[in-house]
Amino acid sequence: MTDRRPLDVLFRYGPVALMVVVGLVLPLTTSDYWLGRILLWIPLAIAALGLNLLTGFNGQISVGHFAFYGVGAYTCGLLVAKWDWPMGLAVLAAVVVCFVVGVVVGLPALRIKGLYLALVTLAVAVLFPDLVKHFESVTGGSSGLYITTPEMNSRGVVVERSIQILAPEGIDLSTEQWTFYLYLAVAIVAFIVVRNIVHSRVGRSMIAIRDNEVAAEVNGVNVAAVKVFTFGLSSALAGLGGAMFALWEAQLFPQSFTLGFSLVLLVAVVVGGPASVLGPALGAIFVGVFEDMIKPELPDELSAVTPLILGLSLVGLMLVAPGGIAGMARQLAARVQRSRPPAGPAKPSGDPISTQPSTT
């Protein structure tokens, strides 16, 4: 008899375990400069996780999700820079604010869907940078919001310095290493929470609405409540990513939250695999590698067409693997399992004729 359980466990938990191990080893083997770049992939993965929850699992299309990322970033930045809130409390406040904003923006989803809902979220993405510039006295406008804290220098003069996420005393890690581990822990918690939600009754309701909204309502699903809750939770995750981005960058500009970055989130979801919990992390790694490693190495004459290169890569991947990287991995796992003999009782020994039951 062939036991297929070890193979099932390998395909189910192997990629997750590999990513966690790489995440634990990476800060110890990478320079602080590159670690500072790579750790920004983590907030992007969390924001993509939120968009995937909304689009991949619930079927609501959002083109302007990066606006919620910006709301979380500016909420956290303003609370820390102007009102001296602790970082952790500011992050929680940003998550709550984004949840509320997401619920408000998601209310139109109760009456419209598909292309029309995409246009509503598109309007939010286009308006957000203009709103930041309009309220210049609060946000800093085009000049930027600098997240600083007063600090006394060696000459006894109090100066404003960019905030840093310092490791606690007794932990021998650089700022980049400690921040990476902290962000990785937050991301793991976020992905576990989303996985539990997806496998809960609420998650099954999300998927039912995506597949057939009328049938879901007939079977007792509160479509309105599930849609609004999903929009709010998705926005809260994007706000969490934005807050983490703000604390690391320590400076925010409205041009960092344009429509183009919303499309980057969509690329991360589609490439990683929609309707897959692990897909957004894979998609964020793909986007990060392209933006931080491949794009700078391209010739100058190709720098202007990098969006076209990314788009062609996306089209090519969709032709080969419509379900993204996660879908391709699932197909590979299914092929390997089908190639193995099925589990079953061992064939009895002896004369097969003698084992047949008597008909007399």
Side-chain angles (χ1 to χ4, degrees):
M1 181 172 68
T2 303
D3 190 359
R4 302 172 70 174
R5 286 177 297 177
L7 189 64
D8 294 338
V9 172
L10 176 63
F11 280 113
R12 178 173 296 182
Y13 299 108
V16 178
L18 178 62
M19 293 180 68
V20 172
V21 170
V22 171
L24 294 175
V25 174
L26 191 64
L28 305 178
T29 58
T30 307
S31 66
D32 286 346
Y33 169 78
W34 275 111
L35 195 60
R37 298 301 306 165
I38 293 174
L39 69 82
L40 286 176
W41 303 355
I42 300 178
L44 179 65
I46 295 176
L49 175 67
L51 179 58
N52 191 34
L53 186 66
L54 180 68
T55 302
F57 288 101
N58 195 219
Q60 301 187 70
I61 302 175
S62 175
V63 184
H65 224 64
F66 216 78
F68 302 113
Y69 191 87
V71 171
Y74 271 93
T75 300
C76 180
L78 288 170
L79 291 176
V80 172
K82 295 186 177 293
W83 291 286
D84 296 326
W85 279 41
M87 294 184 191
L89 193 58
V91 171
L92 291 177
V95 171
V96 172
V97 168
C98 286
F99 180 86
V100 174
V101 174
V103 168
V104 173
V105 176
L107 288 176
L110 302 180
R111 293 186 174 273
I112 60 176
K113 57 184 178 180
L115 179 61
Y116 300 102
L117 179 60
L119 290 176
V120 170
T121 58
L122 175 64
V124 173
V126 172
L127 286 175
F128 178 75
D130 292 333
L131 289 175
V132 172
K133 295 176 184 177
H134 181 73
F135 295 100
E136 183 177 0
S137 59
V138 178
T139 64
S142 299
S143 300
L145 172 66
Y146 295 88
I147 309 174
T148 60
T149 182
E151 183 178 314
M152 184 175 296
N153 61 16
S154 57
R155 295 178 295 177
V157 179
V158 177
V159 296
E160 293 288 336
R161 296 191 184 277
S162 297
I163 60 169
Q164 289 185 323
I165 306 176
L166 301 176
E169 294 184 6
I171 297 180
D172 187 20
L173 294 173
S174 66
T175 300
E176 288 79 6
Q177 291 173 327
W178 169 251
T179 305
F180 186 93
Y181 283 132
L182 182 62
Y183 279 20
L184 181 63
V186 173
I188 290 174
V189 171
F191 275 80
I192 291 175
V193 169
V194 169
R195 180 191 177 279
N196 290 338
I197 290 175
V198 167
H199 288 84
S200 69
R201 183 177 179 181
V202 175
R204 291 191 293 271
S205 299
M206 293 178 186
I207 298 172
I209 293 172
R210 178 199 65 190
D211 293 340
N212 193 319
E213 184 173 323
V214 175
E217 189 170 11
V218 169
N219 282 276
V221 175
N222 190 336
V223 174
V226 172
K227 277 189 170 184
V228 173
F229 171 76
T230 306
F231 220 109
L233 180 59
S234 174
S235 303
L237 288 168
L240 173 61
M244 295 164 66
F245 170 83
L247 291 179
W248 178 248
E249 286 289 278
Q251 52 184 0
L252 302 173
F253 299 94
Q255 55 267 31
S256 298
F257 306 98
T258 58
L259 179 61
F261 290 95
S262 291
L263 298 180
V264 168
L265 276 184
L266 282 174
V267 169
V269 170
V270 173
V271 170
S276 167
V277 176
L278 190 60
L282 300 173
I285 294 173
F286 172 86
V287 172
V289 168
F290 180 84
E291 292 290 336
D292 292 333
M293 297 182 179
I294 298 177
K295 184 177 178 179
E297 299 299 325
L298 294 175
D300 293 338
E301 56 268 18
L302 294 180
S303 60
V305 295
T306 48
L308 176 61
I309 297 174
L310 184 61
L312 291 176
S313 302
L314 178 62
V315 172
L317 179 64
M318 290 301 97
L319 291 175
V320 177
I325 299 174
M328 187 166 53
R330 285 195 296 265
Q331 291 178 356
L332 177 62
R335 289 177 183 176
V336 172
Q337 290 182 342
R338 284 197 300 266
S339 66
R340 296 171 62 88
K347 185 176 179 180
S349 59
D351 185 1
I353 299 178
S354 64
T355 62
Q356 299 296 325
S358 175
T359 58
T360 59

